[in-house]
Amino acid sequence: MQVQFTESDIRAKAVELGLIQDGDELPRHQRSKVVAVLLHEAANASPKKTEREPQLAKEIVIQPGGAILVNGEPFPWLIAKQPMEIGLNPDGISTVRLTLLAEAVQIIKPEPRPESE
């Protein structure tokens, strides 16, 4: 993960941390501390950024040789060379069922709900 911060990002974080007043220059010896805080925040924020609401694909194109495009973009994961199940529904939403390859699979058991819910 490559992260870059502008001078204004660094200066704003230094003001937020109380290291300098707004408009002051950040001393060089404190710059690495501020960048470390920004990196820590970026690392902790990354999972939240990737958690998006599921979207309905506008178009899925399956090409000869197995290449698959979703909304014009190549599907980013490896797909097993097994038959796909394709359901075409001209009056509504169509479906494509395929098998993804993974080095590891983890299934997390949901926590039991209290009976009062």
Side-chain angles (χ1 to χ4, degrees):
M1 173 178 83
Q2 183 178 3
V3 180
Q4 294 182 341
F5 304 106
T6 64
E7 286 300 319
S8 61
D9 292 337
I10 296 169
R11 199 171 300 117
K13 181 52 73 175
V15 170
E16 182 183 320
L17 294 171
L19 298 174
I20 60 172
Q21 297 295 319
D22 196 15
D24 292 348
E25 286 296 316
L26 179 66
R28 289 183 78 77
H29 70 280
Q30 291 185 330
R31 181 181 172 82
S32 62
K33 293 176 188 175
V34 175
V35 171
V37 170
L38 287 168
L39 285 170
H40 180 74
E41 289 176 354
N44 289 336
S46 292
K48 293 176 187 168
K49 289 180 183 175
T50 59
E51 293 176 18
R52 300 184 314 182
E53 288 294 318
Q55 298 179 34
L56 177 66
K58 299 295 182 198
E59 178 183 60
I60 298 174
V61 177
I62 302 169
Q63 300 175 330
I68 296 178
L69 301 176
V70 178
N71 297 341
E73 297 291 323
F75 193 72
W77 297 284
L78 292 175
I79 300 167
K81 291 187 178 186
Q82 295 181 354
M84 292 181 193
E85 184 179 311
I86 300 171
L88 300 177
N89 184 357
D91 298 326
I93 297 173
S94 299
T95 60
V96 177
R97 187 177 300 198
L98 46 83
T99 303
L100 297 179
L101 298 172
E103 289 182 12
V105 175
Q106 181 180 14
I107 299 171
I108 300 174
K109 182 178 177 183
E111 293 184 23
R113 292 185 179 181
E115 289 185 27
S116 62
E117 287 188 47

